[in-house]
Amino acid sequence: AMLVESRRRQVGAELVLPVIEENCQVLADPQRLEQVLVNLLLNALDAVAGVEHRRVEIVVRHRDVCCELVIRDDGPGIPEAAMPHLFEPFFTTKPSGQGLGLGLAISRMIVRELGGEIEVRNGESGGAEFCVMLERV
């Protein structure tokens, strides 16, 4: 999406995209899935805006019955205290006036309506990882 590309340029971040294997197809409304991915990518770009190594990576891997789409950033990671609340409406870790705190709540709602799940963790080398799991076709 153009939104992501313009923010990527603004931040000066490297966006690493995956090679998608043919057997990793999911049944999902493309517009709604795009809405989730745009939100996660914009969050990741915001997270790396203040760090030296500005890199966001998308990884796609298939499990037995599902496809995992992971968006990793090299940002500061998510404070442990914030983890349980990330998907709550109006909860945000961004400075005042920079986020409504609805993006992740809406993203989770969409992913669940598509029969999937979304999880978050801090990566082993720092930064955050958001994982969207959807059933494979």
Side-chain angles (χ1 to χ4, degrees):
M2 287 174 359
L3 259 173
V4 172
E5 179 51 23
S6 73
R7 181 72 179 131
R8 185 199 68 75
R9 279 203 302 265
Q10 195 181 1
V11 170
E14 176 192 7
L15 184 57
V16 183
L17 300 172
V19 175
I20 311 253
E21 297 172 35
E22 275 182 35
N23 61 353
C24 212
Q25 291 183 331
V26 294
L27 200 58
D29 173 348
Q31 275 84 25
R32 299 182 80 211
L33 189 53
E34 182 184 21
Q35 188 181 344
V36 171
L37 297 182
V38 164
N39 179 55
L40 293 177
L41 284 167
L42 289 175
N43 281 353
L45 289 168
D46 286 349
V48 298
V51 298
E52 192 181 344
H53 190 63
R54 298 180 189 142
R55 186 170 186 267
V56 173
E57 181 181 15
I58 304 175
V59 179
V60 175
R61 38 181 187 236
H62 61 276
R63 299 279 183 241
D64 297 341
V65 292
C66 73
C67 263
E68 282 186 353
L69 195 141
V70 183
I71 295 180
R72 288 186 186 138
D73 66 62
D74 285 346
I78 294 158
E80 281 305 313
M83 279 286 188
H85 306 289
L86 275 188
F87 296 100
E88 292 172 10
F90 307 113
F91 179 85
T92 181
T93 57
K94 293 180 183 176
S96 180
Q98 281 189 24
L100 289 174
L102 285 173
L104 288 176
I106 291 168
S107 293
R108 172 171 270 182
M109 186 183 75
I110 291 171
V111 171
R112 286 185 169 169
E113 282 172 4
L114 296 173
E117 193 48 84
I118 183 170
E119 293 176 353
V120 62
R121 58 185 170 253
N122 281 316
E124 288 169 26
S125 56
E129 294 185 1
F130 283 84
C131 182
V132 175
M133 288 152 288
L134 292 167
E135 208 174 316
R136 281 204 292 156
V137 180

